[in-house]
Amino acid sequence: MTILVVAEYENGAVAPATLNTVAAAAKIGGDVHVLVAGQNVGGVAESAAKIAGVAKVLVADNAAYAHALPENVAPLIVELAKGYSHVLAPATTNGKNILPRVAALLDVDQISEIISVESADTFKRPIYAGNAIATVQSSAVIKVITVRTTGFDAVAAEGGSAAIEAVGAAHNAGISAFVGEELAKSDRPELTAAKIVVSGGRGMGNGDNFKHLYSLADKLGAAVGASRAAVDAGFVPNDMQVGQTGKIVAPQLYIAVGISGAIQHLAGMKDSKVIVAINKDEEAPIFQVADYGLVADLFEAVPELEKLV
Amino acid sequence: MKVLVAVKRVVDFNVKVRVKADQSGVELASVKMALNPFCEIAVEEAVRLKEQGIATEVVVVTVGSNAAQEQLRTALALGADRAILVEAADDLSSLTIAKALKAVVDKEQPRLVILGKQAIDSDNNQTGQMLAALSGYAQGTFASKVEVVGDKLNVTREIDGGLQSLELSLPAIVTTDLRLNEPRYASLPNIMKAKKKPLETLTPSALGVATTSTIKTLKVEAPAVRSAGIKVKTVAELIEKLKNEAKVI
């Protein structure tokens, strides 16, 4: 068995999500190869070669693969996949965008967002917003899988010394083009990788009030998240949303402030190690999953919390 | 241009589902069903394109049991012109559904196909991408803004770090994210009118689509239950617990 992991990268190096995905591949067993597709990705390939447990890094460096357009990248993966038993990618927006296209071109079903590996062909994944866990078995010749990164502990980013091999294949479907992007700027840790997450909901009242959470987060070294209600109300940008339709996080500590705890929000954070809820409504459903609940006005509790930690 | 919208009948998003005692699935008997929320957004976007004079006809399609007619009628009440039911089992894999939709695309020749980004039951997030692959069309997934300009489609997508803009050649596939629009409610007169709109029934075999799958669900379990927490009285007590009991700060 040989497993191909499609690398996610940012700022010229592999992203943490790639390390969780390699960990899932290691649990399946067999040689792990990593594919780095993009433009000017030599540095990414070098960082991928250092990942512990990686046997080989394939680099497809071509202008057509810039910005990970699925119309161009999927045929590349399909061409390479023929020699592999499994193709894995992290369940990031990129992975979710590209891998089903790969699966359909290979004429196999895909298994989305696995949280555990039972054997080389059997996996567990959450369904119904995490309210049920399905165990699924695949009889596909090539198993195409996305990995929920919070389900697997990252492998070490250093320590490996894989061979780097260039892939010459150039696929350019010519039916899609990158126009631009608008990335939210943040000095705080990345939401899905942070050890502590402080999230605000509708109870924050307005976007300006999020400053209380930012200063608490800075003191704790935490990332700041939000519920869909806070995003829809325009308090914060949508990439801060935690939930079934936003990001899935599983930090050591999750502090939910002014969040009622709808099913869709819980789907994104209920695997956190410790959950703290601060809400003035003692009936709020968030208290049913919180390890520590504080019934209080957040505008008094949060500044006090910041002062005392 | 013709716009095709794929919709799915799912458990209403407010229902807290229960796993069956024999672990064969979740309890769906006598549970409230509804149009998948992302599919509602897809229908709304198609209807808005029609109101702008860009779409000439909005065709809504579903693959599922006969009961899904109810959701097709809902889509017709929201403004779709006619409906297609591909009558099949309710638990087909995303790939099988994408193949059935590909056959409908071949038959109907739409310029644009809109789907939801994921169904809230299987949480797969696959069908739109798979349909795009099978059709050879470009895909604009997780769309928060869609604009038709001549024979191109400008799509703004929600990505992990923010937003990304793409230009796609038509025909193309779009999957909707939550912020694309706010779906309207069906008015009573429109619900009455929807009953008279055409609804065609097809089968996978008539479309030449096999319904076999390479995936088998072995069991479905309830997730691990979190142990009950405690309520603290003061911020000082909370910090003391986090430091000394949970040891997370």
Side-chain angles (χ1 to χ4, degrees), chain A residues 13 36 62 68 87 91 138 150 168 199 207 214 243 249 260 273 276 280 306:
Chain A
V36 177
N62 191 298
V87 177
S138 168
T150 57
S199 276
Y214 294 136
V249 301
S260 65
K273 184 163 172 270
V276 169
K280 64 180 174 190
E306 189 198 331

Side-chain angles (χ1 to χ4, degrees), chain A residues 53-129:
Chain A
V54 172
K56 187 158 62 165
V57 175
L58 304 174
V59 197
D61 205 323
N62 191 298
Y65 304 139
H67 308 295
L69 296 176
E71 296 80 5
N72 301 346
V73 176
L76 166 73
I77 299 172
V78 168
E79 188 185 313
L80 297 171
K82 303 277 154 68
Y84 291 91
S85 59
H86 298 71
V87 177
L88 268 56
T92 54
T93 48
N94 261 334
K96 291 182 203 176
N97 193 27
I98 294 169
L99 234 57
R101 199 168 172 114
V102 171
L105 293 172
L106 290 170
D107 196 21
V108 297
D109 291 289
Q110 178 189 299
I111 301 180
S112 293
E113 306 227 14
I114 62 162
I115 52 169
S116 92
V117 173
E118 302 296 296
S119 72
D121 67 359
T122 307
F123 309 91
K124 286 193 177 186
R125 61 176 302 261
I127 53 176
Y128 291 91

Side-chain angles (χ1 to χ4, degrees), chain B residues 176-195:
Chain B
T176 64
D177 216 319
L178 277 171
R179 266 158 295 276
L180 181 59
N181 59 50
E182 223 171 283
R184 70 194 66 188
Y185 292 98
S187 67
L188 189 59
N190 285 343
I191 292 171
M192 299 310 287
K193 273 187 231 161
K195 292 185 177 169

